[in-house]
Amino acid sequence: QLQLRESGPGLVKPSETLSLTCTLSGGSISSSSYYWGWIRQPPGRGLEWIGSYSYGGSAFYNPSLRSRVNFFVDTSKNQVSLKVYSVTATDTAVYYCARLPFWTGYYYFDNWGQGTLVTVSS
Amino acid sequence: EIVLTQSPGTLSLSPGERATLFCWASQSISSTSLAWYQRKPGQAPRLLIYGASTRVTGIPDRFSGSGSGTDFTLTISRLEPEDFAVYFCQQYGTSPLTFGGGTKVEI
């Protein structure tokens, strides 16, 4: 059974880089049928899609975050990673990774991780 | 971007009752481009329905989705104790992908 697990520092200082990793078990990161996405939910607010990307390097982003975000894939560890640069308190959120079944042609998320809380504070 | 508004914010019901959750889009979206998810505390969100009305394999048939254009509905015909959770909709017809604010179904 596919499982996604987010991990990373729970506390990041303002202006620094937020780095999160999503480890996949029960499936392969390098499958061409899927994209991998990051979604976040700030406290008291709704879910916000950050972006989605494939093992092959194709990616699409939320324009509101595009200039501060980068994605990485590590096939040796079956992981995908997110970096958000120059963070501020508004980047405080629960961050989720999720799988997008690109092969369907539709961009919903069919498997999610439990999420990890990242707080931006000095 | 397309803004999704969910209503009500909280729905207080009892087991066995019917729950009707609404998701309104700020502009028309294809009925193939609307999904519903369930999230319980401490658990990963779970995809329930995609394409506005297609249930994911393994999702009980008490969950049903409908709608088109700007108005979409998730109905839980008879609430089971395990259905008390937060539900949110997502549109994937237009980038950026967007989500609704969620409806909490509570006892």
Side-chain angles (χ1 to χ4, degrees), chain A residues 98-112:
Chain A
R99 189 179 74 170
L100 187 158
F102 180 73
W103 65 272
T104 66
Y106 299 117
Y107 295 174
Y108 53 82
F109 298 96
D110 66 354
N111 276 277
W112 295 61

Side-chain angles (χ1 to χ4, degrees), chain B residues 10-93:
Chain B
T10 302
L11 198 51
S12 298
L13 294 168
S14 299
E17 290 192 297
R18 181 185 187 91
T20 304
L21 289 66
F22 300 97
C23 176
W24 288 296
S26 60
Q27 55 187 279
S28 183
I29 60 176
S30 166
S31 60
T32 58
S33 301
L34 195 286
W36 289 93
Y37 302 86
Q38 176 193 66
R39 185 180 64 195
K40 298 179 182 179
Q43 296 187 19
R46 178 171 69 152
L47 175 67
L48 300 175
I49 286 171
Y50 61 92
S53 60
T54 303
R55 251 189 329 273
V56 171
T57 301
I59 299 301
D61 61 6
R62 63 180 180 273
F63 291 90
S64 64
S66 63
S68 63
T70 60
D71 299 350
F72 297 87
T73 302
L74 174 69
T75 301
I76 311 171
S77 59
R78 291 177 314 279
L79 283 164
E80 297 288 341
E82 62 267 28
D83 299 336
F84 291 91
V86 175
Y87 295 84
F88 49 94
C89 55
Q90 179 221 340
Q91 69 80 22
Y92 46 92

Side-chain angles (χ1 to χ4, degrees), chain A residues 83-106:
Chain A
K83 289 187 185 295
V84 182
Y85 304 102
S86 304
V87 297
T88 69
T90 59
D91 294 306
T92 294
V94 175
Y95 285 76
Y96 297 93
C97 66
R99 189 179 74 170
L100 187 158
F102 180 73
W103 65 272
T104 66
Y106 299 117

Side-chain angles (χ1 to χ4, degrees), chain A residues 49-50 60-64, chain B residues 1-3 90-99:
Chain A
W49 170 68
I50 299 170
F60 56 113
Y61 302 84
N62 190 325
S64 68
Chain B
E1 70 178 45
I2 295 177
V3 176
Q90 179 221 340
Q91 69 80 22
Y92 46 92
T94 302
S95 187
L97 312 182
T98 52
F99 294 84

